[in-house]
Amino acid sequence: MLGSSAIAARDEGMKGDQMNFVIRIATEKDIDELEVLYDALNDHLAAGVNYPGWLKGIYPVRGTAAQGIAEGCLYVAVCDDLIIGSIILRRGMEPIYQKARWQLQLEGEAVLVVYTFVVHPDWLSKGIGQELLDFAVEYGLQTETKALRLDVYEHNLPAIHLYKKNGFKYIESVDLGLREYGLDSFHLYEKLI
C-alpha cells in the first residue's frame, strides 16, 4: 500500500520517443524546479489559449508547491532528472464541495481531490497528463479511496475531455469565488474507484 509520505514510483516506457520517467513524491529540493515549471506553463498559457485561466504570480506559484510538499501530497513526473509534470492529491474537500450532489456521499479519507495538475509546455500532448491521471487512480485504489474529485474551469476543454475520457462524471457547476480573475464557473467531476 502506498502512503502519502512513501515514494510512489512508476517507470513508464513510451513508444516512439522511448521516454522513461518516474512519478514520485516531491521533496523540498523540488520547490525551485516546480516554481520554474509553473512559470513556464503560465507563460505558455498567456501566449496562447489559457484554458485553465491560470495567471503567473497568482496560481500556481511557489507557495502552491511548498504547501503540497509540506502536506506530503504533491507528486512529480521526472524524466532525465527534469520535472515535466506534477499533481497534488489531497484528502478532504473544499467547503463548496460539501454542498454538491456527488454520486456517493463520502467524507474524509474516502475522497481524494486532484489539484494543480500540471504538465510542462514542452511535454504537452506526449501522454504525461494521462500518466499522472492514471497514477492518481492507482494511488487511490491502493489507499482505499472510494472517489476522486476535482474542479475544472468551465472553458478548460482539453482537461474536461481528458477527465471524461477517463470515466469522470460531471456533477454540477459551482462558483469558487474567482470572478475577479474572470473565472465565473467551475465544473465538479467525480470518478468512483
Side-chain angles (χ1 to χ4, degrees):
M1 182 180 290
L2 298 173
S4 62
S5 62
I7 292 179
R10 177 182 181 138
D11 290 313
E12 290 297 325
M14 298 190 69
K15 296 177 183 168
D17 295 327
Q18 286 303 313
M19 170 182 57
N20 288 315
F21 68 96
V22 299
I23 297 174
R24 63 165 173 78
I25 195 152
T27 69
E28 286 187 23
K29 294 177 186 175
D30 297 320
I31 291 176
D32 289 342
E33 194 172 349
L34 283 161
E35 181 178 31
V36 170
L37 167 63
Y38 296 161
D39 286 346
L41 181 57
N42 278 321
D43 288 344
H44 174 79
L45 293 170
V49 179
N50 189 347
Y51 289 106
W54 292 351
L55 299 170
K56 189 173 183 176
I58 304 293
Y59 186 85
V61 294
R62 182 182 186 89
T64 308
Q67 181 179 355
I69 290 168
E71 294 174 5
C73 62
L74 193 156
Y75 294 86
V76 290
V78 180
C79 181
D80 295 329
D81 295 323
L82 295 173
I83 295 175
I84 59 175
S86 69
I87 191 168
I88 292 176
L89 302 173
R90 186 176 284 135
R91 298 287 171 190
M93 296 182 287
E94 298 295 322
I96 193 76
Y97 282 33
Q98 301 292 342
K99 300 175 185 176
R101 290 183 218 100
W102 300 102
Q103 297 171 84
L104 292 177
Q105 295 307 311
L106 302 167
E107 295 183 21
E109 295 297 309
V111 178
L112 193 59
V113 181
V114 175
Y115 294 94
T116 322
F117 183 16
V118 177
V119 175
H120 191 283
D122 293 344
W123 293 85
L124 293 172
S125 301
K126 295 187 179 184
I128 304 304
Q130 181 64 59
E131 291 295 336
L132 284 164
L133 199 55
D134 289 347
F135 173 81
V137 171
E138 183 179 305
Y139 178 82
L141 287 169
Q142 292 182 16
T143 57
E144 301 180 17
T145 301
K146 303 294 182 209
L148 290 175
R149 294 178 179 166
L150 57 88
D151 59 73
V152 58
Y153 177 49
E154 67 180 337
H155 297 299
N156 191 348
L157 302 180
I160 290 170
H161 174 76
L162 179 64
Y163 300 140
K164 286 182 177 180
K165 181 177 98 173
N166 283 275
F168 282 78
K169 181 180 175 195
Y170 169 79
I171 301 300
E172 63 185 73
S173 295
V174 296
D175 179 350
L176 294 180
L178 298 172
R179 290 180 185 271
E180 68 183 284
Y181 302 109
L183 305 173
D184 297 337
S185 182
F186 288 78
H187 297 320
L188 298 180
Y189 279 88
E190 178 178 48
K191 178 180 177 75
L192 300 180
I193 58 175

